[in-house]
Structures are given as structure tokens and as C-alpha cells.
Amino acid sequence: MEKRDQNKQFLFEFDEKGTIEVSQQIMNSYNSGFIGEGTAIADNDDFAETES
């Protein structure tokens, strides 16, 4: 394994358009629910019917 230069300077660029796009993707995934949500809702509905 090669050793990395501990004193190496890194250059980071800030891209406003990219930031907005990533933020939108995060919000879309947050607001879309979760994987298996449809099954969980169906299971919950089935459970509610048998509980009565």
C-alpha cells in the first residue's frame, strides 16, 4: 500500500447548481416513503380487518 502525503493540499469547488440538485434528490427520497411501504400499508390494513 502506498503512503499518502500528509501535507498535500486538496482543492474543493463549490457548485451551487450541484448543491441544489443533490438537496432536491435527498428531499425526494425523504418524501417518497420507504422501500416496502405499500406492503406495510397492505399488511396493516389486513391486520385492522381481522382485529374487529
Side-chain angles (χ1 to χ4, degrees):
M1 185 186 330
E2 69 183 69
K3 290 187 177 183
R4 295 184 182 179
D5 183 5
Q6 297 295 320
N7 297 322
K8 182 178 179 181
Q9 296 296 314
F10 294 96
L11 175 65
F12 296 100
E13 294 182 18
F14 182 80
D15 180 3
E16 186 68 31
K17 182 179 177 193
T19 302
I20 292 170
E21 185 174 329
V22 170
S23 294
Q24 189 63 47
Q25 290 173 356
I26 292 169
M27 289 307 295
N28 288 344
S29 66
Y30 178 79
N31 292 326
S32 69
F34 59 91
I35 296 173
E37 181 176 19
T39 304
I41 291 171
D43 290 346
N44 189 32
D45 289 344
D46 291 343
F47 179 75
E49 290 175 8
T50 59
E51 190 176 274
S52 304

